[in-house]
Amino acid sequence: MICSYCGARTNPGAVVCNNCGVILRAGDSEKRLPKPTVKRGSLVRIAAIAIAAIAGAIVGKLMLPVLLNVSAAVGTAIGVAAGAALVYLVSGGKILYYSNLYRTRHAFLQSRIRNVLSSSEQKYEKLLEKDATTDARLSLAVAHLLQDEVEKSVQEFQRAQKMGAKEPLFFNNAGVALARRGSIPQSLEMFQRASSLNGHHGEPHANLAHAIVQSAEIVDEMNTERALSEVQCTIEIDGDKPLYHDWKGLILCRAKKYDMAIEEFQKSIDCPGYTKFTRADAHNNIAVALFMKSDVKGAVTEIQTALRLDPSHGRALSNHGILMLLQGNAASGLETLQSARKLDPKSAPVRNNLGYGMCRVGALNEGIREFRDGILLDPGIFEPYYNLGKIYLDADVLEVAERNLTRALQLNSQSWETLVAVGLIRMHQGQMDTAQELLSEANTISPKQPLTLGIMGICHTKLGNYKLAERLLLEASDLDEGNSELHAHLGLLYLHEDSITVAGERFAEAISIDPKVAEYHNNIGLCQISNGAYDSALNSFRKCETLHPEYTKTHYHLGYVFALQKHLDAAVKEWEQTVKVEGAFPDGHVNLGVAYYQKENYEKAATEFRRVIGLRQNRMEDFSNLALALSKQGILIRKGSRTKDDAKWKESVERHKQALEMFDRALVLEPSNVMLHSNRGLSCFFANRPEDAMKEWAIVSKLDPNYARKREKQQQSEFDDTAVTFVSLNLIERAATIKPRTADYVYQLAAGYDTDRWSLMISDDALKDIPELDRQSRQLERSLQALSL
């Protein structure tokens, strides 16, 4: 099999592509993304040209007839053309000028960065060949880190540590490498050691503050004060900068002190050394705080301000796209998120948010690719891991789902969404006690979530704790009245309690909320059968069939209703479909066989009864049914015989011998069943074994004299086939299970640039400018992309 996304070969029957992670059997590739609208930049340019054309028309009409001695119409036409052309050329020239300027500057910076890093790497490798000093090893590790070669950098730091490196520079930079690899707890230890040894560098304190917030299970008062004090140490060493106030504000946001956070972001706006870019960051951060305060309108205003200051701010644009999606504007929101990725393809939150948008419109595989790219960019954020886990769990790819959700839980153990998802996996695995623990923990972290309460109720239903399950599901449905699935799960619970009428009422409620779910109609149809409302049941199953033609259980249920209504031909037609689509369902073969038997088509009946025995051997009636069908075949064949020595007679005897084998197997299961002994006796008689027949009938008289007297001579001429009946409908087994939902996908409103940066201590003068040059290069790259939006 070839993956349609990456072209990689996969194993036949594989569910997930080993190379790119997409779900090979997902139907989302057929989902159409919203059609893109005209770009904002193009709209602005068109509007400017239109305004210039109108102004030109007015000027041309008033002035050109006087100056050029032409008619007013000609003057108007010339004015329109001149005005539009002038603005078009000027705007196009401006874009071309800045494109060339940014491109040239960007190429210069990239060339300089590459040259410096390449020469430094070569220099330190040569030094290490001659004399492996810790300074050379540490500088080489930094060079790798500046080239985003995180694993190589970690390896060099490990070698340096073995060589005895113990200075603050080592602990700080090794901490940065570990943090960028996603190993936040280990990096925290490194930053703590760097800060304790440090006296005149701000980087360890800034990194320690960042790590405290990243690693804390809950950002409580103690962690908040500790992180703020580290930022303050950085300010005292390096002086006041806008970035430090942004850091303080984000720490306060994590601690849910939003008003204090906004005050810090305001200080960043007015801090000495500000630029339009730092101000754009601050306004974006204010938007994040306002959104957390549920002030969506204020958040949108701040984001728009940030984008006016810096149209290339990919993170602010990504946040704007998320707000659009949350307000129900899917097309514009997704287009905005795509534009944000174009501006800033190396930002993990931006890629995660685009994946979130893709999944919201059903393009799951596109979402998978974005989430995987986000993880590669920053392995330390939990959102893309959770989102991947949710996709795979919803697609029943449990192994891959568990791997991603486990990592998400390691990064953020306070995510109730992740705890619920892992709880669902444990339910799939039959580990109900573990599932309950995870769900209870999720409910503690975020109490009264209808989703959590509902799944806890489902879990208790499976455990047989029906009263507790009912309480939880009722509480969940009260909190989320419009959730049809909760009513459906209550209906399934009442089926377990054999409260069929109440179950039907719950399924009816679910249908009133969402009439397009086929499974609800199937389940209410089962309740209607039990209550004798056969016509209503037929209508329900037909509705289920219309909504979900591939739902295979419907045929059996329709056949069952027809059989109850004595419409045997219609029942046979439905059950013939059942055994095709549910070949491993024994009751389907039994009832089709019984229907054939009642229609005296014993050959087909025997064929179905044989298939039943191939599926199960623990039910006496299955062997008895086959024995009777074979016996009836033998009687019919014997009627075509002329003598006791012809082929028909011999074939009849053979059928009765086969029947005897089945009666014997039935008697192993129920040795004292008088009906079996009676029928076996008659089969012995037809198989030319009269002595055995008399023994069987003697056993019948001994076991149940009343039965023997009632049957008298009849048992010597007619089989007792009163037990050849349809299998009763098992409502619980035939009810459609409603798959519990996971929580929604999660997004991340991204903070401004540099706020998630880990600061290196660089001793090599040649490398000291690289972080700033890289920052400028990235800014130019975004500005260049912004010109095309």
Side-chain angles (χ1 to χ4, degrees):
M1 181 184 290
I2 303 296
C3 174
S4 60
Y5 280 81
C6 68
R9 287 188 175 275
T10 59
N11 296 326
V15 178
V16 175
C17 174
N18 292 328
N19 184 51
C20 67
V22 302
I23 299 174
L24 299 174
R25 58 177 167 77
D28 68 289
S29 57
E30 299 177 0
K31 298 272 186 179
R32 293 189 176 182
L33 299 178
K35 292 182 179 180
T37 57
V38 181
K39 293 180 180 178
R40 178 179 175 273
S42 300
L43 285 174
V44 172
R45 195 175 180 195
I46 291 169
I49 292 171
I51 293 169
I54 293 170
I58 295 171
V59 173
K61 183 177 181 180
L62 296 177
M63 298 183 65
L64 291 185
V66 177
L67 297 175
L68 301 178
N69 195 24
V70 296
S71 65
V74 173
T76 301
I78 294 172
V80 168
L86 182 63
V87 172
Y88 179 80
L89 291 172
V90 169
S91 60
K94 180 181 177 182
I95 292 173
L96 186 61
Y97 168 77
Y98 281 110
S99 294
N100 289 331
L101 180 66
Y102 294 156
R103 193 174 287 110
T104 302
R105 177 63 178 166
H106 179 261
F108 169 76
L109 289 175
Q110 284 293 301
S111 175
R112 184 177 172 187
I113 291 170
R114 281 194 301 269
N115 290 336
V116 170
L117 290 174
S118 177
S119 60
S120 296
E121 190 171 358
Q122 291 175 9
K123 180 179 71 173
Y124 292 120
E125 286 177 347
K126 288 180 181 179
L127 284 174
L128 288 170
E129 290 175 2
K130 295 178 181 178
D131 183 15
T133 63
T134 55
D135 289 343
R137 186 73 69 188
L138 291 173
S139 295
L140 180 59
V142 170
H144 285 313
L145 204 52
L146 290 171
Q147 296 178 85
D148 294 328
E149 297 172 344
V150 177
E151 288 304 319
K152 284 186 178 181
S153 175
V154 171
Q155 292 171 9
E156 293 298 334
F157 282 123
Q158 289 172 343
R159 294 187 183 109
Q161 188 174 27
K162 291 178 181 178
M163 295 171 65
K166 294 181 180 179
E167 59 268 34
L169 182 144
F170 160 71
F171 288 115
N172 179 80
N173 294 350
V176 170
L178 290 167
R180 288 184 57 182
R181 192 172 68 171
S183 305
I184 301 298
Q186 295 93 321
S187 70
L188 177 63
E189 182 181 350
M190 288 292 185
F191 294 139
Q192 286 174 332
R193 297 181 71 176
S195 298
S196 64
L197 297 170
N198 174 59
H200 55 280
H201 290 284
E203 291 87 351
H205 297 286
N207 290 333
L208 179 56
H210 192 181
I212 289 169
V213 175
Q214 289 285 324
S215 64
E217 294 290 329
I218 300 174
V219 184
D220 55 17
E221 192 69 32
M222 184 180 71
N223 284 318
T224 300
E225 291 301 322
R226 186 181 172 197
L228 289 174
S229 67
E230 293 297 334
V231 177
Q232 189 59 40
C233 286
T234 308
I235 293 173
E236 292 171 1
I237 294 170
D238 290 349
D240 202 7
K241 296 179 183 178
L243 177 61
Y244 299 152
H245 292 287
D246 285 330
W247 277 344
K248 282 186 174 183
L250 291 173
I251 292 167
L252 291 165
C253 275
R254 285 289 304 273
K256 300 182 180 180
K257 298 181 178 182
Y258 304 123
D259 291 330
M260 294 174 65
I262 291 170
E263 290 178 10
E264 288 296 333
F265 296 139
Q266 290 288 354
K267 291 178 182 178
S268 174
I269 293 173
D270 302 322
C271 183
Y274 71 81
T275 65
K276 67 174 184 178
F277 300 115
T278 62
R279 283 190 162 184
D281 279 342
H283 283 288
N284 175 74
N285 295 339
I286 291 173
V288 172
L290 289 172
F291 179 80
M292 291 178 175
K293 286 183 63 178
S294 301
D295 184 359
V296 177
K297 186 176 180 180
V300 171
T301 300
E302 291 295 332
I303 287 174
Q304 290 171 341
T305 302
L307 290 171
R308 279 195 299 270
L309 288 165
D310 180 9
S312 67
H313 203 301
R315 295 189 176 190
L317 195 62
S318 177
N319 293 343
H320 197 200
I322 290 294
L323 295 182
M324 288 180 179
L325 284 176
L326 296 177
Q327 292 172 330
N329 194 342
S332 297
L334 186 58
E335 185 182 356
T336 300
L337 290 170
Q338 289 171 320
S339 297
R341 179 185 62 179
K342 189 174 181 181
L343 286 175
D344 193 5
K346 295 181 180 179
S347 172
V350 170
R351 302 302 290 270
N352 175 79
N353 289 350
L354 177 57
Y356 169 87
M358 291 292 185
C359 292
R360 284 284 295 263
V361 300
L364 300 183
N365 279 340
E366 295 293 342
I368 287 172
R369 299 173 79 182
E370 295 300 326
F371 296 139
R372 285 169 63 92
D373 285 344
I375 288 169
L376 290 174
L377 290 165
D378 186 353
I381 63 173
F382 97 96
E383 287 87 354
Y385 285 107
Y386 166 77
N387 290 331
L388 283 172
K390 170 183 166 57
I391 292 175
Y392 293 127
L393 177 55
D394 290 344
D396 294 324
V397 189
L398 299 187
E399 183 180 351
V400 185
E402 184 172 8
R403 189 162 61 242
N404 283 281
L405 290 169
T406 300
R407 180 58 178 155
L409 207 55
Q410 289 171 351
L411 292 169
N412 183 4
S413 63
Q414 298 300 301
S415 166
W416 70 270
E417 298 96 337
T418 309
L419 287 164
V420 168
V422 178
L424 284 171
I425 290 178
R426 297 293 173 261
M427 287 173 62
H428 277 290
Q429 297 168 338
Q431 301 176 26
M432 295 300 175
D433 291 337
T434 305
Q436 279 296 337
E437 291 175 6
L438 290 164
L439 294 168
S440 298
E441 187 177 350
N443 192 47
T444 301
I445 292 169
S446 184
K448 304 296 183 181
Q449 287 286 347
L451 179 70
T452 308
L453 294 172
I455 296 174
M456 290 173 72
I458 296 166
C459 192
H460 281 295
T461 300
K462 291 178 180 292
L463 290 169
N465 303 327
Y466 298 136
K467 292 302 178 185
L468 179 55
E470 181 182 28
R471 181 179 65 78
L472 289 165
L473 286 167
L474 286 171
E475 184 179 0
S477 62
D478 288 341
L479 292 167
D480 188 2
E481 295 178 356
N483 189 330
S484 63
E485 294 177 11
L486 294 171
H487 293 284
H489 284 299
L490 276 165
L492 292 170
L493 164 64
Y494 293 131
L495 281 183
H496 280 279
E497 292 187 314
D498 205 27
S499 301
I500 310 302
T501 302
V502 183
E505 292 171 356
R506 283 296 173 175
F507 291 130
E509 183 67 24
I511 290 170
S512 69
I513 296 170
D514 190 351
K516 294 184 179 181
V517 179
E519 289 80 357
Y520 299 168
H521 294 278
N522 175 78
N523 292 355
I524 197 172
L526 295 174
C527 296
Q528 290 161 340
I529 289 177
S530 184
N531 290 329
Y534 300 142
D535 290 337
S536 297
L538 286 175
N539 291 334
S540 295
F541 295 134
R542 290 297 188 202
K543 183 67 175 179
C544 175
E545 199 171 41
T546 301
L547 290 169
H548 192 350
E550 297 179 359
Y551 186 72
T552 56
K553 288 186 175 182
T554 313
H555 294 293
Y556 180 74
H557 302 158
L558 284 167
Y560 195 85
V561 177
F562 286 132
L564 291 173
Q565 293 180 323
K566 308 301 181 184
H567 299 154
L568 207 56
D569 290 337
V572 167
K573 184 178 178 181
E574 293 295 337
W575 284 335
E576 285 176 341
Q577 291 298 312
T578 296
V579 297
K580 289 179 182 177
V581 296
E582 290 189 87
F585 175 48
D587 289 355
H589 294 286
V590 171
N591 285 358
L592 179 58
V594 170
Y596 284 141
Y597 188 95
Q598 292 182 1
K599 290 169 66 66
E600 299 184 359
N601 191 336
Y602 301 120
E603 184 176 356
K604 286 188 174 181
T607 299
E608 295 303 323
F609 294 145
R610 281 194 182 94
R611 288 172 178 162
V612 176
I613 291 171
L615 294 169
R616 67 185 179 196
Q617 295 84 40
N618 60 350
R619 184 174 176 266
M620 176 276 292
E621 290 84 355
D622 296 333
F623 293 104
S624 175
N625 289 344
L626 178 54
L628 287 168
L630 291 168
S631 298
K632 293 280 187 169
Q633 275 187 282
I635 291 172
L636 287 177
I637 293 170
R638 178 170 293 193
K639 287 180 181 179
S641 170
R642 294 184 179 180
T643 66
K644 293 185 178 182
D645 295 326
D646 65 11
K648 291 288 185 182
W649 184 276
K650 292 179 180 179
E651 186 180 355
S652 171
V653 171
E654 184 61 30
R655 286 288 191 280
H656 286 295
K657 288 180 178 179
Q658 293 173 7
L660 284 173
E661 292 179 14
M662 293 302 107
F663 281 130
D664 289 342
R665 294 183 69 177
L667 283 166
V668 170
L669 295 171
E670 291 191 21
S672 300
N673 189 300
V674 292
M675 181 197 69
L676 289 176
H677 286 287
S678 175
N679 288 336
R680 188 181 187 281
L682 186 55
S683 197
C684 285
F685 178 80
F686 284 123
N688 296 330
R689 293 165 52 182
E691 296 84 359
D692 290 337
M694 297 305 295
K695 289 179 181 179
E696 289 295 336
W697 291 329
I699 292 172
V700 171
S701 298
K702 184 177 180 180
L703 288 173
D704 192 342
N706 291 330
Y707 180 86
R709 283 194 298 271
K710 184 178 179 181
R711 293 273 295 166
E712 294 184 356
K713 293 184 179 181
Q714 194 178 24
Q715 71 177 337
Q716 300 179 16
S717 59
E718 295 179 9
F719 287 98
D720 182 356
D721 58 6
T722 55
V724 183
T725 56
F726 298 116
V727 179
S728 299
L729 193 65
N730 188 321
L731 297 185
I732 294 174
E733 285 185 3
R734 299 304 294 176
T737 56
I738 312 301
K739 184 178 178 180
R741 282 190 299 171
T742 48
D744 198 2
Y745 299 98
V746 294
Y747 53 85
Q748 181 188 33
L749 288 190
Y753 290 104
D754 295 333
T755 52
D756 55 0
R757 183 187 70 189
W758 301 97
S759 301
L760 288 166
M761 295 171 63
I762 302 176
S763 59
D764 187 343
D765 291 337
L767 296 176
K768 278 186 176 179
D769 293 335
I770 296 300
E772 176 59 25
L773 294 176
D774 183 63
R775 189 192 65 77
Q776 293 177 19
S777 176
R778 290 175 185 264
Q779 176 61 61
L780 284 168
E781 192 174 351
R782 293 195 299 271
S783 298
L784 186 61
Q785 291 294 340
L787 293 174
S788 63
L789 296 182

